[in-house]
Amino acid sequence: MLPKDFSRAIVDLAAGLPTRAITIVRGNSTNISYRIYYNQATSDRLNHLSLVNWWSGRLYKNPVLPAADKVYKNFHGRVFNVPVLHAPPWHFVNYKNSSVNVTGGRDDKLLALLAGKLNFKYKYYDPPVRSQGSMISGNGTFKGVLGLIWKRQADFFLGDVTITWERLQAVEFSFLTLADSAAFLTHAPDKLSETLVIIRPFQWQVWPLVCATLLAIGPALWFVIAAPIYWQRRQRNMLQLLDECCWFTTTLFLRQTSNKEPSRSNKARLVSIIISLGATYVIGDMYSANLTSLMAKPAKEQPIGTLEGLEEAMRERGYELVVEKHSSTLTILENGTGVYGSLARLMKRQRIQRVRSVEVGVRMVLSRRRVAVLGGRETLYYDSERFGSHNFHLSEKLYTRYSAIALQIGCPYLETFNSIVMTLFEAGILTKMTTDEYKNLPEASRRSEKVTESENRENIESGESGATSQTQSESTIGLEPVSLRMLRGAFCLLGVGYLSAALVLSIEIQVYKRKSTKTKVLGTKKCRAFRRIKILLRRQMRRMIRAFYRFIDNALAPMV
């Protein structure tokens, strides 16, 4: 029979513990003492009964059971089997036949720091399903690495694991290891046609204004010249004057010399000078400046930076969106509404919707222009740097996402992990570790040449990862010498002008021929009619003369 005060202390301080978690042994019959053994709070072994406290009139330690932060501050060399996935820059993994070789990564450094601080060892292994896992399915299964933790077949997992509500139903997360945002990656905008660079400074919004100015300036000059003529009541062909004014202003805008001025008055000359200055220094110089800037830095297509723009591109331009399988991004698309729901519906039309990893999606974007991959911004940024940032365009931030270490529900050393990770996060050490991965990226791993679709398919099927080709930096590729290809537009425009002039000339010739033929036909008809009238008149005169002679003969006949 235990003393009442000791029993009350045991019941109050050890309430809720599993059965047989505490064992009490009486130590001495003369001097009443009790030893308390506990088999749960062990850092280096499982279910080991060890002495944690004793009672001899009073408890030796208070509280009765050891605190978790004290028990798990030293794991005494315990070995953890940790699943690992290849996900740069968090883990760099080389897969072999029956083993994996981790060559570095931000989370690999973090795990090494935790192991050194808490005195434990770890061993990486290749999980059966090389994915993180998104949620518990309807049939009660959870695929991926998080499913192993849910089944208590793995202790914990590091590797940019995003915290979601669905995952919180199966695993428990530590303090934040990364505060990131979601984004999508598309191919870099392609250069616009260099042939049309000569007309690109005038966008479609400018052309109507230029044409309206060209149409209005001719009648304006005519009004300046015609107003004094009306006031002075002089005689002049106003229609011909309007034609001359319009032609004169058109030649000024086209920078052509005109042999005939519509008027030699001071007002007309002042207006002509203003028109010439406007055409030369306003339109001409601005056009030349824009053309020079476009030749120095060729224009590119409008990039896709928002989800609305991506949705429009998928609807109208045939873009495809891929995501990593069993990822939090896929869950957001499947359970999302609005634009996310629209993107999920549009993805159903695609042949490929999910890829093994974000790196495979980046390879697809590199080899195919009309493909976008959705994922974490930090991961996409790192992969774009590996394959050449000039080949990609990273969108704006979409939503905030947080990553942490995934552990089993009820993990006893969660608070120990939290204290260390919290200190590293608040001190900025985790941010510096992430930045160092970008700085340590060797130039040899950057690639600039285009990856063909066949090469990308081979990489997907074989599961190869990492870039090994030699490349050059973005700054070197961004600078290109000016070539004569940019002047093709001038020759094309000159050819269009010659063709237009030839077309107008042929039309004038045809009109002139038709007009001349019509005039000749009309002249011929008039001559024939005149000849007929002349013949009829002659016949009529002859008849009249004959009738007159007959009348005289008939009148003189009786007299004879």
Side-chain angles (χ1 to χ4, degrees):
M1 188 71 181
L2 294 175
K4 292 184 178 180
D5 54 351
F6 178 58
S7 301
R8 189 179 298 109
I10 294 297
V11 172
D12 293 341
L13 297 176
L17 291 175
T19 307
R20 298 179 183 177
I22 300 176
T23 302
I24 302 172
V25 179
R26 184 170 180 173
N28 195 345
S29 59
T30 58
N31 188 11
I32 301 176
S33 63
Y34 295 93
R35 298 175 183 175
I36 304 172
Y37 292 85
Y38 185 43
N39 69 342
Q40 297 294 318
T42 55
S43 59
D44 56 342
R45 62 188 71 181
L46 298 176
N47 303 324
H48 176 70
L49 195 64
S50 60
L51 178 66
V52 295
N53 208 338
W54 60 85
W55 184 89
S56 179
R58 62 181 182 85
L59 287 173
Y60 179 75
K61 296 180 180 180
N62 193 13
V64 178
L65 303 179
D69 57 347
K70 294 182 179 180
V71 174
Y72 294 102
K73 67 180 181 180
N74 189 350
F75 284 85
H76 303 285
R78 179 177 174 180
V79 179
F80 289 101
N81 293 322
V82 182
V84 65
L85 299 175
H86 176 75
W90 322 113
H91 280 112
F92 294 91
V93 182
N94 293 329
Y95 293 100
K96 298 181 179 180
N97 296 331
S98 59
S99 62
V100 292
N101 181 23
V102 179
T103 60
R106 198 286 303 266
D107 288 338
D108 179 63
K109 296 179 180 178
L110 176 58
L111 183 56
L113 194 150
L114 291 173
K117 183 67 177 178
L118 300 177
N119 190 19
F120 67 83
K121 299 179 182 179
Y122 57 91
K123 183 179 180 181
Y124 289 117
Y125 72 94
D126 188 13
V129 180
R130 294 178 181 175
S131 63
Q132 292 184 1
S134 57
M135 59 188 300
I136 302 175
S137 60
N139 56 3
T141 59
F142 198 127
K143 296 182 179 180
V145 177
L146 298 182
L148 299 178
I149 300 176
W150 176 57
K151 300 173 185 177
R152 299 187 179 275
Q153 297 177 5
D155 294 300
F156 56 86
F157 172 68
L158 292 82
D160 190 29
V161 187
T162 305
I163 302 175
T164 61
W165 183 86
E166 292 81 6
R167 290 177 172 179
L168 283 172
Q169 311 307 310
V171 298
E172 197 165 357
F173 289 96
S174 68
F175 187 78
L176 308 179
T177 59
L178 178 67
D180 194 11
S181 58
F184 62 87
L185 192 72
T186 56
H187 201 283
D190 195 11
K191 291 182 180 180
L192 297 177
S193 176
E194 295 179 352
T195 304
L196 303 178
V197 69
I198 195 170
I199 63 173
R200 193 164 293 123
F202 286 149
Q203 299 181 359
W204 68 269
Q205 297 92 341
V206 180
W207 283 110
L209 299 178
V210 174
C211 296
T213 303
L214 184 61
L215 293 176
I217 202 68
L221 180 60
W222 172 84
F223 179 78
V224 172
I225 300 174
I229 297 177
Y230 277 110
W231 295 338
Q232 299 174 5
R233 296 183 179 180
R234 291 182 296 173
Q235 296 295 329
R236 189 170 179 179
N237 190 348
M238 295 299 173
L239 186 59
Q240 183 180 0
L241 178 62
L242 178 62
D243 184 34
E244 293 176 357
C245 291
C246 293
W247 179 251
F248 178 73
T249 54
T250 303
T251 55
L252 285 181
F253 270 96
L254 296 178
R255 310 290 294 277
Q256 301 291 329
T257 58
S258 178
N259 296 327
K260 183 178 180 181
E261 297 179 0
S263 176
R264 297 185 179 272
S265 62
N266 294 331
K267 294 182 179 179
R269 289 179 177 177
L270 179 61
V271 174
S272 300
I273 292 174
I274 294 175
I275 295 173
S276 179
L277 291 177
T280 302
Y281 295 103
V282 178
I283 299 178
D285 288 355
M286 291 182 62
Y287 170 77
S288 300
N290 291 329
L291 182 60
T292 304
S293 63
L294 289 175
M295 286 184 175
K297 186 177 181 180
K300 295 184 178 181
E301 297 176 348
Q302 187 69 21
I304 303 174
T306 61
L307 286 177
E308 290 76 10
L310 179 60
E311 180 186 3
E312 181 181 358
M314 294 179 66
R315 289 183 183 275
E316 300 178 0
R317 296 158 58 185
Y319 268 75
E320 296 182 358
L321 177 64
V322 296
V323 296
E324 183 182 2
K325 63 180 180 180
H326 304 308
S327 63
S328 60
T329 307
L330 179 61
T331 305
I332 291 176
L333 288 176
E334 292 177 346
N335 301 334
T337 58
V339 64
Y340 292 100
S342 301
L343 292 176
R345 289 190 295 270
L346 292 173
M347 287 177 61
K348 295 180 180 179
R349 305 182 303 182
Q350 304 171 187
R351 184 176 61 89
I352 300 177
Q353 303 175 10
R354 308 171 187 179
V355 292
R356 191 191 73 248
S357 63
V358 176
E359 182 182 0
V360 177
V362 174
R363 288 177 178 272
M364 291 182 62
V365 174
L366 185 61
S367 61
R368 299 167 56 187
R369 289 192 173 274
R370 299 186 182 274
V371 175
V373 56
L374 184 62
R377 185 178 177 87
E378 291 288 343
T379 304
L380 294 175
Y381 177 75
Y382 186 84
D383 285 334
S384 65
E385 288 292 325
R386 291 176 62 204
F387 294 97
S389 58
H390 57 280
N391 294 319
F392 304 96
H393 174 74
L394 191 61
S395 71
E396 62 182 22
K397 298 179 180 180
L398 303 180
Y399 58 88
T400 304
R401 56 191 293 271
Y402 300 100
S403 301
I405 304 175
L407 303 98
Q408 297 177 2
I409 294 179
C411 180
Y413 46 87
L414 174 61
E415 294 299 328
T416 306
F417 274 37
N418 282 342
S419 62
I420 299 176
V421 174
M422 189 182 302
T423 304
L424 296 175
F425 187 87
E426 293 177 350
I429 297 177
L430 287 178
T431 305
K432 186 179 183 305
M433 292 169 62
T434 306
T435 308
D436 289 342
E437 291 298 327
Y438 301 138
K439 294 181 180 179
N440 296 333
L441 183 64
E443 289 292 333
S445 64
R446 302 174 186 264
R447 64 182 305 164
S448 61
E449 68 272 9
K450 183 177 179 181
V451 178
T452 60
E453 188 172 358
S454 59
E455 179 185 352
N456 177 63
R457 188 181 301 108
E458 292 175 359
N459 292 332
I460 295 175
E461 293 176 354
S462 61
E464 294 179 357
S465 58
T468 59
S469 59
Q470 299 291 332
T471 61
Q472 55 189 27
S473 62
E474 178 184 0
S475 59
T476 306
I477 296 175
L479 299 177
E480 295 180 358
V482 178
S483 61
L484 294 179
R485 291 180 301 175
M486 299 180 181
L487 301 178
R488 289 183 300 184
F491 294 99
C492 293
L493 191 60
L494 183 62
V496 171
Y498 283 147
L499 290 176
S500 302
L503 181 62
V504 172
L505 180 61
S506 62
I507 292 174
E508 290 182 353
I509 292 174
Q510 293 297 328
V511 171
Y512 177 77
K513 286 183 177 181
R514 290 185 180 182
K515 188 175 181 180
S516 300
T517 304
K518 187 176 181 180
T519 303
K520 290 181 180 179
V521 170
L522 291 176
T524 304
K525 290 182 178 179
K526 288 181 179 179
C527 291
R528 291 177 180 177
F530 181 74
R531 288 177 181 178
R532 289 178 182 179
I533 293 173
K534 187 176 179 179
I535 293 173
L536 290 176
L537 288 176
R538 287 177 180 179
R539 290 178 181 179
Q540 191 67 22
M541 289 296 294
R542 290 174 184 175
R543 290 176 183 176
M544 291 177 63
I545 292 174
R546 290 175 183 177
F548 178 72
Y549 279 117
R550 289 176 183 174
F551 176 75
I552 293 176
D553 290 339
N554 293 331
L556 296 176
M559 296 178 61
V560 176

